[in-house]
């Protein structure tokens, strides 16, 4: 439940949400971050770029001309560079840190 800034915690909790412990009013709160605050969307976007680069590498033919291979390798290099820069700049917490680390190692 979200309340405005002008509402006091005691009023928001009401009589059921407040305990009286040795003459002190106690309220238990659960604070939540807004959706997407852990950086999961950014990591997911970078993961898609890494996956696309992997598919491009896997799809390269050995019989292709050197010029074509160079063009494809430039595209792969560009995708991986963008993903790496974005992963370096994103602020992540919790499980997203491990996910980011695994992507950077790939």
């Amino acid at each position: 439940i979200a309340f405005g800034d002008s509402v006091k915690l005691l009023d928001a909790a009401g009589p059921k949400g407040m305990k009286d412990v040795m003459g002190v009013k106690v309220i238990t709160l659960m604070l939540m971050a807004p959706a997407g605050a852990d950086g999961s969307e950014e990591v997911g976007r970078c993961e898609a770029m890494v996956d696309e680069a992997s598919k491009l590498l896997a799809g390269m033919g050995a019989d292709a001309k050197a010029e074509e291979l160079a063009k494809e390798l430039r595209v792969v290099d560009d995708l991986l560079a963008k993903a790496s820069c974005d992963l370096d700049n994103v602020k992540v917490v919790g499980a997203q840190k491990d996910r980011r680390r695994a992507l950077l190692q790939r």
Side-chain angles (χ1 to χ4, degrees):
I1 299 174
F3 297 98
D5 292 339
S6 62
V7 178
K8 293 183 180 182
L9 286 176
L10 290 175
D11 296 337
K16 289 185 179 180
M18 180 179 50
K19 296 179 187 174
D20 192 18
V21 178
M22 297 173 44
V24 178
K25 296 178 182 176
V26 177
I27 299 173
T28 303
L29 299 175
M30 182 176 77
L31 303 175
M32 298 176 61
D38 63 348
S40 60
E41 290 178 19
E42 289 290 321
V43 174
R45 190 175 54 76
C46 293
E47 186 174 24
M49 284 193 273
V50 171
D51 290 341
E52 183 180 350
S54 296
K55 287 178 187 176
L56 287 173
L57 278 174
M60 285 187 190
D63 56 345
K65 294 181 182 178
E67 296 170 1
E68 291 175 7
L69 281 175
K71 286 181 184 178
E72 288 181 31
L73 286 174
R74 276 190 230 118
V75 171
V76 169
D77 183 53
D78 186 50
L79 282 170
L80 293 176
K82 286 180 183 177
S84 177
C85 287
D86 289 348
L87 286 170
D88 284 342
N89 294 331
V90 70
K91 298 198 188 294
V92 292
V93 295
Q96 300 307 320
K97 284 184 179 182
D98 295 331
R99 193 171 158 209
R100 179 182 78 179
R101 187 177 303 117
L103 276 174
L104 287 171
Q105 288 175 350
R106 279 179 51 189

